[in-house]
Amino acid sequence: MIVNTLKKSLSNAWNMLIEFPLPFLRHDVEEDTVKTESAVLLTQLFFPLIGVICALLALLLGEILGKFLHPVPTAAIFAGTLTYFCVYKDDGRGLAGIMSLTSFKQKEFSLEQALTDLPDSIVDVNTPTATLSMILIILFKLFAFFLMALYGYIYWLAAIFILEFCIEGDLATLPSPGQKQPLLAIKKSKQRYIWFVAGFLVLFVLFKAPVTSLILFGAAFGLSYGVKAYCKDRLNSIDDKIIGLTAYVFELFALLLGLMLLTKGQVILL
């Protein structure tokens, strides 16, 4: 019974975060969806663990490629695979949100208007500015992941994914538009538990990059707190598109932080 509950919660957490299904976690029965308060809390607490799973899969990919290829082609294939995964793990909603914001800013719309009218996918945004921003973001990600594999700090993905998914779990406790219940109905007194779990898991990265990890954890907590306060004050709700946009912005910041601090200046010499 306990094992079945854990599996269902892990499956629900994965399905809420990642569009790519894992066969051993699939369950299609509608009654399997957890709805009790304790089960919903458990699902949320699995969000950072999903980040660990994604990071371990990336580490495994890097190790396998490194066994058969030289460092440069290994880094190139790794960069392409991780860029594709990070763009489409949420079906492109995060990237589409950034593209949309650049278009709205060009049209001089307010931030509230932009956030309440975010697109569902990349194909829904079709302006020159949005296309340019998409190209620049994808090129940046390719470059960041390439250096990550080349200079051997793939472990940094653990901190990125753990805290990115923690932000999503934290924001999902706000009410959804047109509904009284949030995506994850969790008591306010228990909403910080996810940060304790994420903090514990990030400790393993802290030993490798202490200063960078502390900066990233502070940025994650500050960003989540700021977005929650803004949505409560201005929008009175939050949807999955705003959550995805916030997570994607954090992911870009985390990759940039790794470029600046974990390559130890070698990026300048590339």
Side-chain angles (χ1 to χ4, degrees):
M1 181 65 180
I2 295 177
V3 173
N4 194 36
T5 300
L6 291 173
K7 182 180 178 181
K8 289 177 183 177
S9 297
L10 180 61
S11 176
N12 284 329
W14 180 275
N15 291 333
M16 292 180 72
L17 292 168
I18 310 294
E19 290 293 327
F20 304 107
L22 288 180
F24 60 88
L25 283 179
R26 293 180 65 182
H27 63 276
D28 300 321
V29 182
E30 187 175 351
E31 292 80 11
D32 282 350
T33 305
V34 292
K35 296 185 180 298
T36 65
E37 180 184 340
S38 59
V40 173
L41 177 61
L42 184 60
T43 296
Q44 187 206 40
L45 296 182
F46 268 124
F47 276 37
L49 186 60
I50 298 297
V52 175
I53 294 173
C54 292
L56 289 176
L57 291 174
L59 282 168
L60 180 61
L61 174 65
E63 288 294 323
I64 293 174
L65 291 174
K67 294 291 184 182
F68 298 99
L69 301 173
H70 292 293
V72 172
T74 292
I77 296 174
F78 179 86
T81 304
L82 263 292
T83 299
Y84 180 84
F85 173 76
C86 288
V87 169
Y88 289 104
K89 69 180 185 298
D90 64 347
D91 205 23
R93 287 188 296 271
L95 178 57
I98 295 181
M99 293 169 61
S100 178
L101 283 184
T102 59
S103 299
F104 277 117
K105 187 174 181 180
Q106 188 180 32
K107 296 175 183 177
E108 299 183 353
F109 284 7
S110 67
L111 182 58
E112 288 87 349
Q113 287 176 299
L115 291 176
T116 54
D117 196 25
L118 291 174
D120 292 315
S121 65
I122 297 172
V123 296
D124 295 331
V125 190
N126 188 22
T127 65
T129 305
T131 302
L132 177 62
S133 66
M134 178 187 68
I135 294 172
L136 292 176
I137 289 171
I138 290 177
L139 289 176
F140 168 73
K141 285 201 165 190
L142 286 170
F143 181 64
F145 288 129
F146 179 84
L147 292 184
M148 184 180 288
L150 192 64
Y151 291 128
Y153 63 99
I154 296 178
Y155 64 85
W156 184 237
L157 282 173
I160 294 176
F161 288 142
I162 288 168
L163 293 173
E164 178 182 355
F165 296 158
C166 180
I167 290 173
E168 294 195 52
D170 190 29
L171 294 180
T173 60
L174 290 179
S176 301
Q179 301 179 16
K180 295 181 179 179
Q181 287 294 324
L183 294 173
L184 294 173
I186 296 171
K187 289 183 178 179
K188 189 175 182 179
S189 60
K190 298 180 180 180
Q191 290 178 8
R192 295 289 174 88
Y193 290 2
I194 190 173
W195 289 103
F196 299 147
V197 173
F200 172 75
L201 294 174
V202 170
L203 278 177
F204 296 95
V205 184
L206 192 72
F207 296 131
K208 298 278 289 183
V211 175
T212 315
S213 298
L214 289 174
I215 293 174
L216 190 67
F217 188 90
F221 187 83
L223 177 63
S224 184
Y225 180 85
V227 172
K228 284 180 77 173
Y230 180 88
C231 289
K232 284 180 181 178
D233 182 52
R234 300 294 184 88
L235 306 176
N236 297 316
S237 64
I238 193 169
D239 60 20
D240 58 342
K241 289 179 278 191
I242 297 178
I243 294 174
L245 171 63
T246 305
Y248 206 81
V249 169
F250 171 78
E251 187 179 288
L252 293 174
F253 170 79
L255 288 172
L256 180 61
L257 188 67
L259 277 179
M260 293 189 299
L261 301 182
L262 297 180
T263 58
K264 298 181 174 62
Q266 298 178 79
V267 62
I268 301 174
L269 304 177
L270 186 66

